[in-house]
Amino acid sequence: MTISTAIIPAAGWGTRMLPASFSVPKELLPVFDRPSIDWVVAEALAAGITRIVLVTGRGKSGLMDHFDRHPHLEALLRRSGKDQPADLIVERARSATFIELRQGDARGLGHAVLCGEPATRGDRVAVLLPDDLYLGEPPALGDLIALSEQAPNKGVIGLLEVEPQDSRKYGMVGGTWQGDHMVIDRLVEKPEPHDAPSNYAITGRYILPTQVFDLLQQQGSGALGEIQLTDALQGLALDKGMLGLVPKARRFDAGDPEGLLIAGLRCALDHGSAELRARAQSELGR
């Protein structure tokens, strides 16, 4: 069955982005000419997703507003002869079915994914974490979906090779490589370097069978007293199986000020005008 639904957990406080995220959701901070969440949704749409479930929290209503129609603004733009930006508002709102669900109690990533269950359809669901921004072609989620189609009963997760000392920042995986993907048999949440099963970390892209919701519902709190998605992924790996691959697109950490800045520069160079690129080279060369 075609994967049509993507859950985007976006209820976090964005503490790494303070003070910029104090009054503006971190997902709405700009990457070149649009909010970072816009790039994440664009990746999902390019991979064939038609249903976007935003799991938000208090103070995050602006995320849903960004993907909604704005008739008054559209009318003002058209009266000023600015049809193109008005058309973009309409196209963005019509690009998918957008649904907002609230995570009332911050109980971890696994809980946030579970909050999205009522709006999902099909036997598999995509999950995209907006802190992980993938830029370039093919869309990272598309790489995962292609592998999932070969093994529809298994989960598929995006991987990133990291330095050993960075294992404390990530969920880490171990297993055996078969061609371009890993058959995963072990997942550990933020281990010490000597406890990490490999140098490959889980990034924020997943294709998961809907069995994951049953596992999340049944499991108790794990590391940090939260409902950890990694624990449910371990359950899937032991039952149906879990695969991992490194997407071809380049990953940026959009939850970190430096990562967000670098991603914006990359987008400016890739999507900006020739005049902008020349100006940037001139200014940066001073």
Side-chain angles (χ1 to χ4, degrees):
M1 185 173 182
T2 302
I3 302 167
S4 62
T5 302
I7 297 174
I8 301 180
W13 290 107
T15 53
R16 288 193 296 158
M17 297 296 296
L18 288 170
S21 59
F22 182 75
S23 58
V24 177
K26 64 178 180 178
E27 297 85 3
L28 292 180
L29 295 174
V31 174
F32 184 39
D33 61 348
R34 68 190 76 172
S36 63
I37 188 69
D38 201 309
W39 293 99
V40 176
V41 169
E43 176 196 333
L45 299 180
I49 297 297
T50 58
R51 189 178 182 86
I52 302 291
V53 182
L54 297 169
V55 179
T56 68
R58 182 174 294 276
K60 293 294 192 83
S61 59
L63 296 178
M64 193 65 177
D65 289 344
H66 178 71
F67 296 101
D68 199 3
R69 292 286 302 273
H70 197 320
H72 181 61
L73 176 58
E74 292 168 35
L76 287 175
L77 290 170
R78 296 194 190 283
R79 283 200 296 269
S80 301
K82 299 177 180 178
D83 288 335
Q84 184 178 16
D87 290 341
L88 288 175
I89 294 173
V90 177
E91 291 169 7
R92 184 168 60 235
R94 292 177 176 174
S95 62
T97 298
F98 292 93
I99 300 168
E100 181 183 23
L101 296 174
R102 288 292 184 98
Q103 183 187 18
D105 189 11
R107 296 172 58 196
L109 175 58
H111 180 254
V113 172
L114 185 58
C115 287
E117 179 187 14
T120 60
R121 291 179 178 175
D123 59 352
R124 288 168 290 165
V125 63
V127 177
L128 300 91
L129 306 189
D131 277 1
D132 289 278
L133 184 61
Y134 278 93
L135 300 173
E137 296 293 338
L141 189 66
D143 286 344
L144 271 66
I145 289 176
L147 181 57
S148 177
E149 295 295 342
Q150 300 175 32
N153 293 326
K154 301 180 186 296
V156 180
I157 57 180
L159 301 179
L160 174 72
E161 188 172 12
V162 300
E163 295 296 327
Q165 64 270 20
D166 290 333
S167 65
R168 302 181 186 93
K169 303 177 184 178
Y170 300 94
M172 304 295 293
V173 302
T176 57
W177 285 94
Q178 293 186 0
D180 64 349
H181 66 270
M182 178 189 286
V183 179
I184 297 170
D185 56 27
R186 187 180 176 204
L187 302 95
V188 184
E189 182 66 21
K190 298 178 180 177
E192 293 297 319
H194 61 271
D195 291 326
S198 77
N199 288 339
Y200 284 89
I202 304 169
T203 65
R205 296 296 183 272
Y206 313 79
I207 301 295
L208 303 175
T210 52
Q211 179 193 2
V212 70
F213 297 122
D214 294 331
L215 294 171
L216 289 169
Q217 189 72 49
Q218 295 166 9
Q219 76 185 37
S221 299
L224 306 178
E226 299 177 338
I227 297 177
Q228 295 290 342
L229 180 60
T230 303
D231 294 339
L233 298 182
Q234 180 68 71
L236 287 175
L238 294 174
D239 186 7
K240 302 294 185 181
M242 182 70 65
L243 307 177
L245 83 163
V246 179
K248 299 179 185 68
R250 185 177 176 185
R251 173 193 173 269
F252 297 84
D253 184 359
D256 172 83
E258 292 181 0
L260 194 74
L261 174 62
I262 294 170
L265 293 173
R266 181 71 267 168
C267 289
L269 292 172
D270 289 345
H271 303 282
S273 65
E275 179 182 357
L276 172 63
R277 292 194 293 270
R279 179 181 174 187
Q281 291 172 354
S282 174
E283 293 291 337
L284 293 173
R286 291 184 179 180

